[in-house]
Amino acid sequence: LNLEILKLGGSVVTNKNQPMSMNTAAINRIASEIATAGGRGLVIVHGGGSYGHPLAKEYEISNGYHSDLQLPGFSKTRQAMIQLNSILVNTLLDAHVPAVSVNHSSFIITNNKKIGEVDFKIVELYIKAGMVPVLYGDAVLDTEIKFTILSGDQLAARLAIDLKAQRLIYGVDVDGVYTANPKLTSNARLIEDLSLSHMKGMVKIGEALSTDVTGGMLGKVQEATSAVEAGVNVLILNALKSDYIYNALRGESVVCTRLRR
Ligand code: ADP
């Protein structure tokens, strides 16, 4: 199976600073880039951005159950993600990408925030049927803390490993991993070749600026580590720049961060 996993960050598909606000221009462009790149098997995973994160944060979903008052918040987070996923899938369909929504949060359970056993057979069969499954970060049940947020970053890495993807591409709103948060530090440098074993102590990756409950760039690199160790090529690139996703999907070189052991 010639397969790629494309994770579209919440910072790409939504306007993070405005609640429930899509980045319509970005998703229209990305949908047409995916359509024209064509070809091989593709799974898309998206983040929550200004749809999922504010609710998840308000009801403190990610650290698990502490009060019944959180219960409607769990469901509201779900509903917001369903809405975002629906807009994204419709946009892909309009661009003639045979996208299909997969509501994995109904069948994935985490163990203390980590995906345990999961069967992605359904996703595999969609790909083999020629469709493009679209999954997303969401509120999920947890065996230890009752519920949590499963990030799109973690889900994408696990899909890449289980489905033996060739590549895992994280599309974000910056060019990749920098020596410091490029939104806060003007002389931050892009690290084009990031060796995970040398990372500790060398880089201060920092936290994302906005309302993310899942750890920003640091969390992304941590979640991607398991995929890198499983031999998947992992790229982190700027999905807000024209043709970066197109070029990456075509296997052409793009400015980005490549992760390696
Ligand atoms: P998404 O939600 O799109 O998946 P995040 O917002 O979680 O992405 O993470 C990307 C953000 O991480 C960037 O917009 C940037 O502000 C922040 N960040 C913090 N430290 C770094 C760093 N060292 N290099 C790049 N980005 C960083």
Side-chain angles (χ1 to χ4, degrees):
L1 202 63
N2 195 353
L3 180 67
E4 312 211 56
I5 312 290
L6 174 62
K7 157 80 194 331
L8 296 172
S11 65
V12 172
V13 296
T14 74
N15 300 309
K16 271 201 170 178
N17 301 317
Q18 222 177 311
M20 307 289 270
S21 160
M22 290 300 293
N23 188 340
T24 309
I27 63 168
N28 286 338
R29 176 184 48 75
I30 290 168
S32 79
E33 287 184 27
I34 291 169
T36 32
R40 67 198 88 201
L42 180 66
V43 178
I44 298 172
V45 178
H46 63 85
S50 68
Y51 278 72
H53 282 299
L55 287 163
K57 197 176 180 183
E58 180 186 343
Y59 289 92
E60 300 172 354
I61 304 299
S62 83
N63 286 327
Y65 175 85
H66 61 73
S67 151
D68 281 356
L69 295 174
Q70 292 172 289
L71 304 181
F74 179 91
S75 184
K76 283 180 189 177
T77 305
R78 273 278 177 86
Q79 295 302 103
M81 290 310 298
I82 288 171
Q83 208 180 325
L84 171 57
N85 178 257
S86 169
I87 297 170
L88 201 63
V89 170
N90 285 333
T91 304
L92 289 161
L93 290 173
D94 287 345
H96 307 291
V97 176
V100 60
S101 172
V102 179
N103 192 291
H104 68 283
S105 39
S106 303
F107 64 82
I108 290 182
I109 302 169
T110 53
N111 305 321
N112 200 15
K113 304 185 181 182
K114 293 283 166 209
I115 304 176
E117 253 177 61
V118 56
D119 186 351
F120 286 126
K121 186 86 192 162
I122 288 175
V123 176
E124 199 178 326
L125 290 178
Y126 277 126
I127 301 161
K128 284 185 174 153
M131 292 184 247
V132 176
V134 184
L135 296 82
Y136 47 96
D138 203 359
V140 297
L141 291 169
D142 189 285
T143 54
E144 285 172 38
I145 57 174
K146 281 195 183 164
F147 50 71
T148 188
I149 297 296
L150 170 60
S151 70
D153 291 339
Q154 186 187 153
L155 179 62
R158 183 61 183 266
L159 278 161
I161 295 166
D162 287 12
L163 299 176
K164 300 183 172 57
Q166 257 86 58
R167 280 195 307 172
L168 167 59
I169 302 167
Y170 285 98
V172 290
D173 65 344
V174 292
D175 284 355
V177 183
Y178 285 73
T179 50
N181 187 340
K183 290 191 175 165
L184 302 176
T185 314
S186 59
N187 62 358
R189 263 185 319 103
L190 180 67
I191 306 165
E192 295 194 47
D193 189 14
L194 179 60
S195 156
L196 295 174
S197 52
H198 291 126
M199 196 183 77
K200 271 200 171 156
M202 228 178 68
V203 192
K204 192 172 177 304
I205 291 168
E207 300 289 332
L209 271 180
S210 37
T211 54
D212 251 339
V213 287
T214 48
M217 189 56 85
L218 177 61
K220 206 174 300 294
V221 173
Q222 284 168 344
E223 296 296 358
T225 301
S226 55
V228 174
E229 280 165 359
V232 182
N233 283 313
V234 181
L235 312 183
I236 302 176
L237 58 74
N238 197 330
L240 290 179
K241 291 190 174 168
S242 282
D243 289 335
Y244 276 45
I245 287 183
Y246 173 81
N247 285 329
L249 290 176
R250 301 279 300 185
E252 283 158 29
S253 73
V254 279
V255 173
C256 67
T257 294
R258 281 160 208 282
L259 302 187
R260 62 184 172 82
R261 266 180 256 198

